[in-house]
Amino acid sequence: MTDAAMVSPRGEVKGRSLWADARRRFLRNRAAVAGLVVLAVVTLLSFGAPFLGLRAPDDINWDMISAPPDYAQGYYFGTDQNGRDLFVRTLYGGQVSLMVGLVATLVSLVIGTLWGASAGYLGGRIDNVMMRIVDILYSIPFVFFVILLTVAIPRNFIAPTMLMYLAIGAVSWLDMARIVRGQTVSIRRKEFIEAAHASGVSSWHIITRHIIPNCLGPVVVYMTLTVPAVILTESFISYLGMGVQEPDSSWGTLISEGVNAMEVAPWAVIYPSGVMVVTLLALNFVGDGLRDALDPKDR
Amino acid sequence: MKLSIRKLLLPAVAACALLASVSFAEAEMVFHRGNGAEPETINPHKSTGVTEANIEADLFEGLTSYAANGELIPGVAESWEISDDGKTYTFKLRQNAKWSNGDPVTAADFVFGLQDAVNPNTAADYAPILDVIVNAQAIREDTEKDLSKLGVVALDDHTLQITLNGPTPYFLGLLRHPIAYPVHKATVETFGDDWTKPGNMVSNGAYMLTEWTPQASLTYVKNPHYWDAANVKVDKVVMYPTEDLAEELKSYKAGELHATYDVPSEQIKDLEANYADEFKNTLYLGTYYYVINLTKEPLGAQSDLRKALSLAINREILTEKITQGGEAPAYSWVPPMTGYSQAYVSFKDMPQDDRVALAKELLAKHGYGPDNPLNIELLYNTSENHKKIAVAAQSMWKAIGVNATLRNEEWKVYLETRDKKNFEVARAAWIADYDDPINFLDMFLSNAGERNDAGYNNKDYDELIAKTATETDPAARMKLFTEAEQLFLNDDPMIPIYHYTSQHMVSTKVSGWEANILDFHLARYISIAE
Amino acid sequence: MLSYFIRRLAGAIPTLFLIIAVSFVLVRLAPGGPFDKERKVPATVEAKLIEKYHLDEPLPQQFARYVAGLAQGDFGPSFKYPDRSVSELIGIGFPVSLTLGLSAIALALAAGIGLGIWAALRQNTWIDYLCVGTAMLGIAIPNYVFAPLMTLVFGLMLGWLPVNGWGEPRHMVLPILALAIPQVATITRLTRASMLEVLNSNFVRTARAKGLPEMVTLLRHTIRAALLPVVSYLGPAVANIVTGSVIIEEIFRIPGIGRYFVQGAINRDYTMVLGVTILFGALIILCNLIADLCYSLLDPKVRYD
């Protein structure tokens, strides 16, 4: 196995060359770089919105209720049914949506990868117990679970936006754990792992230095599926009217407000969902680029 | 691998084939109507919503009924006499009124029906509106165990006498509420709670239930035994639960529905412009308002501050730009009603600029201003429409220097918060159960309990309302109501925002649909051209 | 194998029990009750109802009563729909939801695996880009945007299919598509990614080098191994479709049970929320179990003993 050759008996990866290599590969992938640029622009605009000298997101213009885009007056995305600037609201909504995606995915990445790799590597009874726990959490239809949480926990107790971060984060690591475990189970019998084990390398070391790097391909691919999935989940719950609440808005709340008037005010759904779709696409391209860059088998 | 996928596919394919074999047979004249939501129950004594009332009005008939234009007309009772003191009603029932199984509808059926409605074991939410009948309240509160003590007596098969506690001019209108519909004794006794199921139900209206698939449709067909069956044109009515208004409208435009339950407010402007013949929009007996919690400071103690909040709300702009459904800007609590002259808030005729100036002045008087803004919290329940109005109100208050925080709660939480008076200002609304001012004004009696969401407590007001209960002259009674409402509005315990309108799309194929303030459209008046 | 299956099935019972307990506590934790209404229910009426539904008992006792009922297949009375029991409503709605969900899963698997394999075999050609591009759009566009858009275009503008309703095959096309498309997209990507990985792996190279005919190589090694992540994804896919059905059923006016969940949660129809959650939970447990079995069938290295 080529991988075994890359690893010294003490299990130290030659990090510098691997990451430098990966960066070079990533930068050569045009779609991925374009995705990264788009992502950076959306993120900067969203979080920089308060400093751009735009209208306030709650400014009402009574003469521009549900008005189509008007470049002369600077309403690039038109206005919503309260006469508020949709461009500004989309940017502010991006803050919430991106934060939900980021927080939940980080949780998913850290907990899920460690959990899945440990279960898969250690095997036997421990695997059984660990995956049983995942199964149990899994089998609660998790959006239902989030909805029940938003119903059960009063809004004056915790802000709906905060609750969204926590609730989605708490449930979104499960998929990752299963995928990583599946990969680990098939990796753990490979010779280089057995060799490492035989030479007395600790389990923790094997998991973090051998198993996880070798799972990175599927993990990165799955992660790029998780961020959009999380953003979509938040928007789904907001669509049901149970997620983020005024004065906050997210892409999900904006789209759900727009979707009812699709026939008469298409801009109210096209622009926010356009921004969301472009962002999700960019995330996917970046993810694919990362996968190709990190794939050890292509080296 | 292949096997497992095929295994997964099989049940789906089988299910598809099964469904394909089911198809609908079209009857002669069918009326497809959007009806908002899945009916919770079609037991007229237990139901509470508009959705259910629409169905029950077709399936059942009370002593009085609705004309196509909503006016009160004789129902099962063909005539009645009212005693001079206004307390005793004697109804003559139609000889030819029949149940859907052919049994005659008798006075005993109404005795049974009204007894069932107030019977504490029925646990009817709406039983209190029958409290005007002698002993009704005692029976429903379980202090009087003998149902026959209820002031409803069958003098003979076709003569019914109802005795009331006091003169009640709206009593005839109340009799067309579902709570006063008769139910078929033998059926109820045979099937228990299951009597409302298709196949079991026996009803006395123009239609009888044939099919009820939850969340899909509820179907009823013409009742051949109905006394006026000869004039009933539509053979079959299908009511659909249409929760998603945007989809309901599409379904209507695609020709799947003849009439909609409602229309999405976002699209009203477009419908008015492009579907003028089909868009029906008329005033409805309801008021949308912001109630102020009088038990909380500083708003509770300072009527000036409450008034300032009310002054700042530009109702014209709100109804024109936000709700857009032709709602009437509200300056009174009781909506426009025949025979009643509304009282108004003091500033009704003041231009908005002056109102804003006055509001600022009132705030300044109590030390609030740009340096020391008044902070309030506005509570509303989760809904796109409530949100839009709250956001607008927030910005209008901002203009007079009031900082409003929006607090959004999900329906049941909101109800609890409101009942516990845990709010400062809250969105609320009331739709009339029957067309009489008392239905609005009795809410703010000091002994109305949780219903009195402002915590309003005014002895003079209580006395005025009490007086109306014994007033036999209808005009004098209405004057007392106006006086009471004026007293109430002068205290500014609420900010009336608009009086509701009802909105429907009705196909040009449909005739006999008359817009009316009660928004009842019985299928017996409808006919459909093909 | 069989003993493993039975053991897992038995293991599902505590899982299900936990779901019931967690959901029970959560719905009961929620402020407000089933009888809170805009028009206040008279005190005597509320007392009667509370007594009738045993809501006055301590929670553990209510829970025991509920579980005892469940053991006999009784989901309890519906608070919101007093004319019917939860079992009756679920009995009517579940076959509809199941038909919808299974059709969507079947479509998602067939289309997703097919497209994924195709794209991988034609890597870096226009076919690949088309499949990947479509898949990405399918993941990115939320189905509550996609569904109304489809009813608008195919139902209203083109008039090819009914806008909503249920009962005939033509009613099923749009909702099944709306439910399946995000899953098709995900499965396409997963299949493609793992196919590429396997195609580039040593054992496939060795097989090719040995001179085995291409098709045999593909079938014997590649697809089998490449499907592992897809099989892992089966559980989440079912869960996603179940969740999606909540809004798809409402948008298309389909009489399934997904609609009852949100309504039940908002109206504090405790038994209804629990019934739907338990049923969907059981369904997902079952699908996870099936996925695990498929996994062991596909990957000879994984043994359950």
Side-chain angles (χ1 to χ4, degrees), chain B residues 356-375:
Chain B
V356 169
L358 177 58
K360 285 181 179 163
E361 208 175 287
L362 289 172
L363 284 173
K365 199 170 118 191
H366 292 271
Y368 295 103
D371 314 324
N372 179 26
L374 174 63
N375 292 310

Side-chain angles (χ1 to χ4, degrees), chain B residues 379 412-423 449-453, chain C residues 36-38 40:
Chain B
L379 171 75
K412 295 275 181 171
V413 188
Y414 153 86
L415 285 178
E416 199 175 86
T417 312
R418 220 178 77 187
D419 289 352
K420 287 191 180 154
K421 303 242 174 343
N422 246 329
F423 65 95
E450 285 175 342
R451 283 191 74 203
N452 182 345
D453 42 22
Chain C
D36 288 341
K37 293 180 183 160
E38 176 89 57
K40 298 291 158 277

